[in-house]
Amino acid sequence: MNDKILKALGEPTRYLLLQLMSDRSYCVRALARRSGLSESAVSQHLKILREADLVYGVKKGYYTHYCLDKAVLDQVISQLVQIRDARRKPCDGPFYGCPESEYLRCKSYVPPEMRGKEE
């Protein structure tokens, strides 16, 4: 996942625009009306979403309608699931810079005699 995607998803207004585009495409004016933003604000947010490849535009006559790129969103979701499902590794105490008094209270600390036996 690149920085542009994280930046795009980290802004609540852009997240709202993505939610609006989840079921259909919209032009800037329609997104502005539905979101309560100005057309110029919507355009600026769409620029960031386009640069992150989360949305793309389809020219329909005079207007460009913006669509959510679900394939890119699927990749983002997949990467987040990998992070969520990653197996936790035990803290090895001083090796990670934890003083002994800290790592003994650490919830992820596994005593040496129990390592390899968790889960």
Side-chain angles (χ1 to χ4, degrees), residues 5-60:
I5 290 175
L6 292 172
K7 177 183 176 183
L9 293 174
E11 164 62 42
T13 303
R14 289 190 283 273
Y15 185 76
L16 169 66
L17 294 176
L18 290 174
Q19 285 179 311
L20 290 172
M21 289 183 280
S22 66
D23 61 345
R24 59 171 292 200
S25 63
Y26 288 99
C27 66
V28 171
R29 180 171 288 167
L31 282 170
R33 283 191 201 135
R34 290 187 157 266
S35 65
L37 298 168
S38 68
E39 289 182 33
S40 62
V42 168
S43 291
Q44 291 300 312
H45 286 297
L46 285 172
K47 178 183 178 213
I48 292 169
L49 291 169
R50 278 193 323 269
E51 289 173 353
D53 295 325
L54 290 167
V55 300
Y56 60 93
V58 176
K59 196 81 165 152
K60 292 186 180 179

Side-chain angles (χ1 to χ4, degrees), residues 71-83:
V72 172
L73 199 55
D74 284 341
Q75 291 173 358
V76 171
I77 291 167
S78 174
Q79 291 173 5
L80 291 173
V81 167
Q82 286 177 354
I83 292 170

